Structure formats: C-alpha cells, structure tokens
Amino acid sequence: MDIPMDGAAALESLRVRVNRERCQGHARCVALAPELFELDAFGEAREIADGWISSALEGKAWLAKANCPELAIDIERAGDSA
Ligand code: F3S
C-alpha cells in the first residue's frame, strides 16, 4: 500500500541520529534545534526520544546537520535502509 506524503502521513517521516563516536560536544545542534537534540551528562549530543521528527522541524534538522563541525548528525527518511 502506498502512503501519501501529505497531511498526517508526512509527520515523523524523518529521523535524526547523532553519531556518538564523532560528536565532540560543540552543542551547536542543541542551540539550533533544542526540540531535537539534548546533551548528556558528558556534554555530548543525543537525539531526543527516538529521533523521529515532524515535518515542521525538518528545517531545523538540516540546519543542525549543516552546522555540526564534526559531521556527526545523520538524517534518514522513513524507508531508507539503515
Ligand atoms: Fe556533537 Fe555536533 Fe552537536 S559535535 S554536540 S553533534 S554540534
């Protein structure tokens, strides 16, 4: 069954992931997209909850990815192979 990518089906179609081996704690992601990222007790970022985001926050996800100097943020679309 095809799922239309509009309306409710478009929600949570993207997932952000922090590569914990690359993250050096610059915290730009948290500053730019606090809805999507948080720092752990060691000052390294992790995605909030399971990383699935609503389409309304897609822009912030790409902004955070573009501003991470360690290239530690990945963005996956639903259906992408892991
Ligand atoms: Fe880490 Fe990059 Fe954020 S280094 S704290 S994922 S800006």
Side-chain angles (χ1 to χ4, degrees):
M1 179 177 88
D2 292 331
I3 299 173
M5 292 306 292
D6 60 358
L11 296 176
E12 300 190 352
S13 62
L14 286 182
R15 187 179 198 183
V16 293
R17 305 293 295 268
V18 176
N19 182 323
R20 307 270 293 172
E21 293 183 4
R22 285 181 177 260
C23 178
Q24 296 295 313
H26 295 286
R28 294 182 186 177
C29 55
V30 177
L32 293 167
E35 303 92 338
L36 305 178
F37 303 97
E38 61 187 1
L39 297 180
D40 65 15
F42 302 100
E44 294 181 350
R46 62 185 172 203
E47 58 277 0
I48 290 176
D50 59 3
W52 290 106
I53 66 174
S54 70
S55 56
L57 291 173
E58 180 174 346
K60 283 195 167 190
W62 289 108
L63 184 65
K65 177 179 173 66
N67 282 277
C68 175
E70 306 297 335
L71 306 176
I73 296 174
D74 295 320
I75 299 177
E76 304 169 359
R77 286 201 181 274
D80 285 355
S81 56

Coordinates of all heavy atoms in Angstrom, one line a residue:
M1 N 0.8 -1.2 0.0 CA 0.0 0.0 0.0 C 0.9 1.2 0.0 O 1.8 1.4 0.8 CB -0.9 0.0 1.2 CG -1.8 1.2 1.3 SD -2.9 1.1 2.8 CE -1.8 1.9 4.0
D2 N 0.6 2.2 -0.9 CA 1.4 3.4 -1.0 C 0.8 4.4 0.1 O -0.4 4.5 0.3 CB 1.3 4.1 -2.3 CG 2.0 3.3 -3.4 OD1 3.0 2.6 -3.0 OD2 1.5 3.3 -4.6
I3 N 1.7 5.0 0.7 CA 1.3 6.0 1.7 C 1.6 7.4 1.2 O 2.7 7.7 0.8 CB 2.1 5.8 3.0 CG1 1.9 4.5 3.6 CG2 1.8 6.9 4.1 CD1 2.7 4.1 4.8
P4 N 0.5 8.2 1.1 CA 0.7 9.6 0.5 C 1.6 10.4 1.5 O 1.4 10.3 2.7 CB -0.7 10.1 0.4 CG -1.5 9.3 1.4 CD -0.9 8.0 1.4
M5 N 2.5 11.2 0.9 CA 3.3 12.0 1.8 C 2.8 13.4 2.0 O 3.4 14.4 1.8 CB 4.7 12.1 1.2 CG 5.4 10.8 1.2 SD 5.5 10.0 2.8 CE 6.6 11.1 3.6
D6 N 1.6 13.5 2.4 CA 1.0 14.7 2.8 C 0.2 14.5 4.1 O 0.0 13.4 4.5 CB 0.1 15.3 1.7 CG -1.0 14.4 1.4 OD1 -1.1 13.3 2.0 OD2 -1.8 14.7 0.5
G7 N -0.2 15.6 4.7 CA -1.1 15.5 5.9 C -0.4 14.7 6.9 O 0.8 14.8 7.1
A8 N -1.2 13.9 7.7 CA -0.6 13.2 8.8 C 0.4 12.2 8.4 O 1.4 11.9 9.2 CB -1.8 12.5 9.5
A9 N 0.4 11.7 7.2 CA 1.4 10.7 6.8 C 2.8 11.3 6.7 O 3.8 10.6 6.7 CB 1.0 10.1 5.4
A10 N 2.8 12.6 6.5 CA 4.2 13.3 6.4 C 4.8 13.5 7.7 O 6.0 13.8 7.8 CB 4.0 14.6 5.7
L11 N 4.0 13.4 8.8 CA 4.6 13.6 10.1 C 5.5 12.4 10.4 O 5.3 11.3 10.1 CB 3.5 13.6 11.2 CG 2.5 14.8 11.0 CD1 1.4 14.7 12.1 CD2 3.2 16.1 11.2
E12 N 6.6 12.8 11.1 CA 7.6 11.8 11.5 C 8.1 11.0 10.4 O 8.3 9.7 10.5 CB 7.0 10.9 12.7 CG 6.6 11.8 13.9 CD 6.3 10.9 15.1 OE1 6.2 9.7 14.9 OE2 6.1 11.5 16.1
S13 N 8.4 11.6 9.3 CA 9.0 10.9 8.1 C 10.5 11.0 8.1 O 11.1 10.3 7.3 CB 8.4 11.4 6.8 OG 8.8 12.8 6.7
L14 N 11.0 11.8 9.0 CA 12.5 12.0 9.1 C 13.0 11.6 10.5 O 12.3 11.7 11.5 CB 12.9 13.4 8.9 CG 12.8 14.0 7.5 CD1 13.3 15.4 7.5 CD2 13.7 13.2 6.5
R15 N 14.2 11.1 10.5 CA 14.8 10.7 11.8 C 16.2 11.3 11.9 O 17.0 11.1 10.9 CB 14.8 9.2 11.9 CG 15.3 8.7 13.2 CD 15.3 7.2 13.2 NE 15.3 6.6 14.6 CZ 15.4 5.4 14.9 NH1 15.5 4.5 13.9 NH2 15.4 5.0 16.1
V16 N 16.5 11.9 13.0 CA 17.8 12.4 13.2 C 18.6 11.5 14.1 O 18.0 10.8 15.0 CB 17.8 13.8 13.8 CG1 17.3 14.9 12.8 CG2 17.1 13.9 15.1
R17 N 19.9 11.3 13.8 CA 20.7 10.4 14.6 C 22.0 11.1 14.9 O 22.6 11.8 14.0 CB 21.0 9.1 13.9 CG 19.8 8.3 13.5 CD 18.9 7.8 14.6 NE 19.6 6.8 15.4 CZ 19.6 5.5 15.2 NH1 18.8 5.1 14.2 NH2 20.2 4.7 16.0
V18 N 22.5 11.0 16.1 CA 23.8 11.6 16.4 C 24.8 10.4 16.4 O 24.6 9.4 17.1 CB 23.8 12.3 17.8 CG1 25.2 12.8 18.1 CG2 22.9 13.5 17.8
N19 N 25.9 10.6 15.6 CA 26.9 9.6 15.6 C 27.8 9.9 16.9 O 28.6 10.9 16.9 CB 27.8 9.7 14.4 CG 28.9 8.7 14.3 OD1 29.5 8.3 15.3 ND2 29.1 8.2 13.1
R20 N 27.6 9.1 17.9 CA 28.3 9.4 19.2 C 29.8 9.2 19.1 O 30.5 9.8 19.9 CB 27.7 8.4 20.2 CG 26.2 8.4 20.3 CD 25.6 9.4 21.2 NE 25.9 9.0 22.6 CZ 25.7 9.8 23.6 NH1 25.2 11.0 23.4 NH2 26.0 9.4 24.8
E21 N 30.3 8.5 18.1 CA 31.8 8.4 18.0 C 32.3 9.7 17.4 O 33.5 10.0 17.7 CB 32.1 7.2 17.1 CG 31.7 5.9 17.8 CD 32.1 4.7 17.0 OE1 32.8 4.9 15.9 OE2 31.8 3.6 17.4
R22 N 31.6 10.4 16.6 CA 32.0 11.6 16.0 C 31.8 12.9 16.9 O 32.6 13.8 16.9 CB 31.4 11.9 14.7 CG 31.8 11.0 13.5 CD 31.1 11.4 12.3 NE 31.5 10.7 11.1 CZ 32.4 11.2 10.2 NH1 32.8 12.4 10.3 NH2 32.8 10.4 9.2
C23 N 30.7 12.9 17.7 CA 30.3 14.0 18.4 C 31.5 14.4 19.4 O 32.0 13.6 20.2 CB 29.1 13.8 19.2 SG 28.5 15.2 20.2
Q24 N 31.8 15.8 19.4 CA 32.8 16.3 20.3 C 32.2 17.3 21.2 O 33.0 18.1 21.9 CB 33.9 16.9 19.5 CG 34.7 15.9 18.6 CD 35.4 14.9 19.5 OE1 36.1 15.2 20.4 NE2 35.3 13.6 19.1
G25 N 30.9 17.4 21.3 CA 30.2 18.3 22.2 C 30.2 19.8 21.9 O 30.2 20.6 22.8
H26 N 30.2 20.1 20.6 CA 30.2 21.5 20.2 C 28.9 22.2 20.6 O 28.8 23.4 20.7 CB 30.5 21.7 18.7 CG 31.9 21.3 18.4 ND1 33.0 22.0 18.7 CD2 32.3 20.2 17.7 CE1 34.1 21.4 18.2 NE2 33.7 20.3 17.6
A27 N 27.8 21.4 20.7 CA 26.5 21.8 21.1 C 25.8 22.8 20.2 O 24.8 23.4 20.6 CB 26.6 22.4 22.5
R28 N 26.3 22.9 19.0 CA 25.5 23.8 18.0 C 24.2 23.2 17.7 O 23.2 23.9 17.5 CB 26.4 23.9 16.7 CG 27.6 24.7 17.0 CD 28.4 24.8 15.6 NE 29.7 25.4 15.9 CZ 30.6 25.6 14.9 NH1 30.3 25.3 13.7 NH2 31.7 26.2 15.2
C29 N 24.1 21.9 17.7 CA 22.8 21.2 17.4 C 21.8 21.6 18.5 O 20.6 21.8 18.1 CB 23.0 19.7 17.3 SG 23.8 19.0 18.7
V30 N 22.2 21.5 19.7 CA 21.3 21.8 20.8 C 20.8 23.3 20.7 O 19.7 23.6 21.0 CB 21.9 21.5 22.1 CG1 21.0 21.9 23.3 CG2 22.3 20.0 22.2
A31 N 21.8 24.2 20.4 CA 21.4 25.6 20.3 C 20.5 25.9 19.2 O 19.6 26.7 19.3 CB 22.7 26.4 20.2
L32 N 20.7 25.2 18.1 CA 19.9 25.5 16.9 C 18.6 24.7 16.9 O 17.6 25.1 16.3 CB 20.7 25.1 15.6 CG 21.9 26.0 15.3 CD1 22.8 25.4 14.3 CD2 21.4 27.4 15.0
A33 N 18.5 23.5 17.5 CA 17.3 22.7 17.4 C 17.1 22.0 18.8 O 17.3 20.8 18.9 CB 17.5 21.7 16.3
P34 N 16.8 22.8 19.8 CA 16.6 22.2 21.1 C 15.5 21.2 21.2 O 15.4 20.4 22.1 CB 16.4 23.4 22.0 CG 15.9 24.4 21.1 CD 16.6 24.2 19.8
E35 N 14.6 21.3 20.2 CA 13.5 20.3 20.1 C 13.9 18.9 19.7 O 13.2 17.9 19.9 CB 12.4 20.8 19.1 CG 11.9 22.2 19.4 CD 12.6 23.3 18.6 OE1 13.8 23.0 18.3 OE2 12.1 24.3 18.4
L36 N 15.1 18.9 19.1 CA 15.6 17.6 18.5 C 16.8 17.0 19.2 O 16.9 15.8 19.1 CB 16.0 17.8 17.0 CG 14.9 18.5 16.2 CD1 15.4 18.7 14.8 CD2 13.6 17.6 16.1
F37 N 17.6 17.8 19.9 CA 18.8 17.3 20.5 C 18.9 17.8 21.9 O 18.4 18.8 22.3 CB 20.0 17.8 19.7 CG 20.0 17.5 18.2 CD1 19.5 18.4 17.3 CD2 20.4 16.2 17.8 CE1 19.5 18.0 16.0 CE2 20.3 15.9 16.5 CZ 19.9 16.8 15.5
E38 N 19.6 17.0 22.7 CA 20.0 17.3 24.1 C 21.4 16.8 24.4 O 21.9 15.9 23.7 CB 19.0 16.7 25.0 CG 18.9 15.2 25.0 CD 17.8 14.7 25.8 OE1 17.0 15.4 26.4 OE2 17.7 13.4 25.9
L39 N 22.0 17.4 25.4 CA 23.3 16.9 25.8 C 23.2 16.0 26.9 O 22.3 16.1 27.8 CB 24.2 18.1 26.2 CG 24.4 19.2 25.2 CD1 25.3 20.3 25.7 CD2 25.1 18.6 23.9
D40 N 24.1 15.0 26.9 CA 24.1 14.0 28.0 C 25.0 14.5 29.1 O 25.5 15.6 29.1 CB 24.4 12.6 27.5 CG 25.9 12.5 27.0 OD1 26.7 13.5 27.3 OD2 26.2 11.5 26.4
A41 N 25.2 13.7 30.1 CA 26.0 14.1 31.3 C 27.5 14.4 30.9 O 28.2 15.1 31.7 CB 25.9 13.1 32.4
F42 N 27.9 13.9 29.8 CA 29.3 14.1 29.3 C 29.4 15.2 28.3 O 30.5 15.4 27.8 CB 29.8 12.8 28.7 CG 29.7 11.6 29.7 CD1 28.7 10.7 29.6 CD2 30.7 11.5 30.7 CE1 28.6 9.6 30.5 CE2 30.6 10.4 31.6 CZ 29.6 9.5 31.5
G43 N 28.3 15.9 28.1 CA 28.3 17.1 27.2 C 28.3 16.7 25.7 O 28.6 17.5 24.8
E44 N 27.9 15.4 25.4 CA 27.7 15.0 24.0 C 26.3 14.9 23.7 O 25.4 14.7 24.6 CB 28.4 13.6 23.9 CG 29.9 13.7 24.1 CD 30.6 12.4 23.8 OE1 29.9 11.4 23.7 OE2 31.9 12.4 23.8
A45 N 26.0 15.2 22.4 CA 24.6 15.2 22.0 C 24.0 13.9 21.8 O 24.7 12.9 21.5 CB 24.5 16.0 20.7
R46 N 22.7 13.9 21.9 CA 21.9 12.7 21.5 C 20.5 13.2 21.0 O 20.1 14.3 21.4 CB 21.7 11.7 22.7 CG 21.0 12.3 23.9 CD 20.9 11.3 25.0 NE 20.4 11.9 26.2 CZ 20.6 11.5 27.4 NH1 21.4 10.5 27.7 NH2 20.0 12.1 28.4
E47 N 19.9 12.4 20.2 CA 18.6 12.8 19.7 C 17.6 12.6 20.8 O 17.7 11.7 21.6 CB 18.2 12.0 18.4 CG 18.2 10.5 18.6 CD 19.6 9.9 18.5 OE1 20.6 10.6 18.2 OE2 19.7 8.6 18.6
I48 N 16.6 13.5 20.8 CA 15.5 13.4 21.8 C 14.6 12.2 21.4 O 14.3 12.1 20.3 CB 14.8 14.7 22.0 CG1 15.7 15.7 22.6 CG2 13.5 14.5 22.8 CD1 15.2 17.1 22.8
A49 N 14.2 11.5 22.4 CA 13.3 10.3 22.2 C 14.0 9.4 21.2 O 15.2 9.1 21.3 CB 11.9 10.8 21.8
D50 N 13.3 9.0 20.2 CA 13.8 8.0 19.2 C 14.3 8.7 18.0 O 14.8 8.1 17.0 CB 12.8 6.9 18.9 CG 11.6 7.5 18.3 OD1 11.5 8.8 18.1 OD2 10.6 6.8 18.0
G51 N 14.3 10.1 17.9 CA 14.9 10.8 16.8 C 13.9 11.1 15.7 O 14.2 11.9 14.8
W52 N 12.7 10.5 15.7 CA 11.7 10.8 14.7 C 11.2 12.2 14.9 O 10.9 12.6 16.0 CB 10.6 9.8 14.7 CG 11.0 8.4 14.2 CD1 11.2 7.3 15.0 CD2 11.3 8.0 12.9 NE1 11.6 6.3 14.2 CE2 11.7 6.7 12.9 CE3 11.3 8.7 11.6 CZ2 12.0 6.0 11.8 CZ3 11.6 8.0 10.5 CH2 12.0 6.6 10.6
I53 N 11.1 12.9 13.8 CA 10.7 14.3 13.9 C 9.5 14.6 13.0 O 9.3 13.9 12.0 CB 11.8 15.3 13.6 CG1 12.2 15.2 12.1 CG2 13.0 15.0 14.5 CD1 13.3 16.2 11.7
S54 N 8.7 15.6 13.4 CA 7.6 16.0 12.5 C 8.2 16.9 11.3 O 9.3 17.4 11.4 CB 6.6 16.9 13.3 OG 7.2 18.1 13.6
S55 N 7.4 16.9 10.3 CA 7.9 17.7 9.1 C 8.1 19.1 9.4 O 8.9 19.8 8.8 CB 6.9 17.5 7.9 OG 5.6 17.9 8.3
A56 N 7.4 19.6 10.4 CA 7.5 21.0 10.8 C 8.9 21.4 11.3 O 9.4 22.5 11.3 CB 6.5 21.4 11.9
L57 N 9.7 20.4 11.8 CA 11.0 20.6 12.3 C 12.1 20.1 11.4 O 13.3 20.1 11.7 CB 11.2 19.8 13.6 CG 10.3 20.4 14.8 CD1 10.4 19.5 16.0 CD2 10.8 21.8 15.2
E58 N 11.7 19.8 10.1 CA 12.7 19.3 9.2 C 13.8 20.4 8.9 O 15.0 20.1 8.8 CB 12.0 19.0 7.8 CG 13.0 18.5 6.8 CD 12.3 17.9 5.5 OE1 11.1 17.7 5.6 OE2 13.0 17.7 4.6
G59 N 13.4 21.7 8.8 CA 14.3 22.7 8.5 C 15.4 22.8 9.6 O 16.6 23.0 9.4
K60 N 14.9 22.7 10.9 CA 15.9 22.7 12.0 C 16.8 21.5 12.0 O 18.0 21.6 12.4 CB 15.1 22.8 13.3 CG 14.5 24.1 13.6 CD 14.1 24.2 15.1 CE 13.8 25.7 15.4 NZ 13.7 25.9 16.9
A61 N 16.3 20.4 11.6 CA 17.2 19.2 11.5 C 18.3 19.4 10.5 O 19.5 19.1 10.8 CB 16.3 18.0 11.1
W62 N 18.0 19.9 9.3 CA 19.0 20.2 8.3 C 20.0 21.3 8.7 O 21.2 21.2 8.4 CB 18.3 20.5 7.0 CG 17.7 19.3 6.3 CD1 16.3 19.1 6.2 CD2 18.3 18.2 5.8 NE1 16.1 17.9 5.6 CE2 17.3 17.3 5.3 CE3 19.6 17.8 5.6 CZ2 17.6 16.1 4.7 CZ3 19.9 16.6 5.0 CH2 18.9 15.7 4.5
L63 N 19.4 22.3 9.4 CA 20.3 23.4 9.9 C 21.3 22.8 10.9 O 22.5 23.2 10.9 CB 19.4 24.4 10.6 CG 20.1 25.7 11.1 CD1 20.7 26.5 9.9 CD2 19.2 26.6 11.8
A64 N 20.8 22.0 11.8 CA 21.7 21.4 12.8 C 22.8 20.5 12.1 O 24.0 20.6 12.5 CB 20.9 20.6 13.8
K65 N 22.4 19.8 11.2 CA 23.3 18.9 10.4 C 24.4 19.7 9.7 O 25.6 19.4 9.8 CB 22.6 18.0 9.4 CG 23.5 17.2 8.6 CD 22.6 16.3 7.6 CE 23.5 15.6 6.6 NZ 24.3 14.5 7.2
A66 N 24.0 20.8 9.1 CA 24.9 21.7 8.4 C 25.9 22.4 9.3 O 27.0 22.8 8.8 CB 24.1 22.7 7.5
N67 N 25.5 22.6 10.5 CA 26.3 23.4 11.4 C 27.2 22.5 12.4 O 27.9 23.1 13.2 CB 25.5 24.3 12.2 CG 25.1 25.6 11.4 OD1 25.9 26.5 11.3 ND2 24.0 25.5 10.7
C68 N 27.1 21.2 12.3 CA 27.9 20.4 13.2 C 29.3 20.3 12.5 O 29.5 19.7 11.5 CB 27.3 19.0 13.3 SG 28.4 17.9 14.3
P69 N 30.3 20.8 13.2 CA 31.7 20.8 12.6 C 32.3 19.4 12.6 O 33.3 19.2 11.9 CB 32.5 21.7 13.6 CG 31.7 21.7 14.8 CD 30.3 21.5 14.5
E70 N 31.7 18.4 13.3 CA 32.2 17.1 13.3 C 31.4 16.1 12.3 O 31.7 14.9 12.2 CB 32.2 16.5 14.7 CG 32.9 17.3 15.7 CD 34.3 17.5 15.5 OE1 34.9 16.6 14.8 OE2 34.9 18.5 16.0
L71 N 30.5 16.7 11.6 CA 29.6 15.9 10.7 C 29.0 14.7 11.4 O 29.0 13.6 10.9 CB 30.4 15.4 9.5 CG 31.2 16.6 8.7 CD1 32.0 15.9 7.6 CD2 30.2 17.6 8.2
A72 N 28.5 15.0 12.6 CA 28.1 13.9 13.5 C 26.6 13.6 13.4 O 26.1 12.7 14.1 CB 28.5 14.2 14.9
I73 N 25.9 14.4 12.6 CA 24.4 14.3 12.6 C 24.0 13.7 11.2 O 24.4 14.2 10.2 CB 23.7 15.7 12.8 CG1 24.1 16.2 14.2 CG2 22.2 15.6 12.6 CD1 23.6 17.6 14.4
D74 N 23.2 12.6 11.3 CA 22.7 12.0 10.2 C 21.2 12.2 10.1 O 20.5 12.3 11.2 CB 23.0 10.5 10.2 CG 24.5 10.2 10.1 OD1 25.1 10.9 9.3 OD2 24.9 9.3 10.8
I75 N 20.7 12.3 8.9 CA 19.2 12.4 8.8 C 18.8 11.3 7.8 O 19.3 11.2 6.7 CB 18.8 13.8 8.2 CG1 19.2 14.9 9.2 CG2 17.3 13.9 7.9 CD1 19.0 16.3 8.7
E76 N 17.8 10.6 8.3 CA 17.3 9.4 7.5 C 15.8 9.7 7.2 O 15.1 10.3 8.0 CB 17.4 8.1 8.3 CG 18.7 7.8 8.8 CD 18.7 6.6 9.8 OE1 17.6 6.1 10.1 OE2 19.8 6.2 10.3
R77 N 15.4 9.3 6.0 CA 14.0 9.4 5.7 C 13.4 8.0 6.0 O 14.0 7.0 5.8 CB 13.8 9.7 4.2 CG 14.0 11.1 3.9 CD 13.4 11.6 2.6 NE 13.7 13.0 2.4 CZ 13.1 14.0 2.9 NH1 12.0 13.8 3.7 NH2 13.4 15.3 2.7
A78 N 12.1 8.0 6.3 CA 11.4 6.8 6.5 C 11.5 5.9 5.3 O 11.4 6.4 4.2 CB 9.9 7.0 6.8
G79 N 11.9 4.7 5.4 CA 12.1 3.8 4.3 C 13.5 3.7 3.8 O 13.8 2.8 3.0
D80 N 14.4 4.6 4.3 CA 15.8 4.5 3.9 C 16.3 3.2 4.6 O 15.9 2.9 5.7 CB 16.6 5.7 4.4 CG 16.4 6.9 3.6 OD1 15.7 6.8 2.6 OD2 16.9 8.0 4.0
S81 N 17.3 2.6 4.0 CA 17.9 1.5 4.6 C 18.8 2.0 5.7 O 19.4 3.0 5.6 CB 18.7 0.6 3.6 OG 19.6 1.5 3.0
A82 N 18.9 1.3 6.8 CA 19.7 1.7 8.0 C 21.1 1.7 7.7 O 21.6 1.0 6.9 CB 19.3 0.9 9.2
Ligands
F3S1 FE1 28.0 17.0 18.8 FE2 27.9 18.2 16.5 FE3 26.1 18.6 18.3 S1 29.8 17.8 17.7 S2 27.1 18.4 20.3 S3 26.5 16.7 17.3 S4 27.0 20.2 17.0

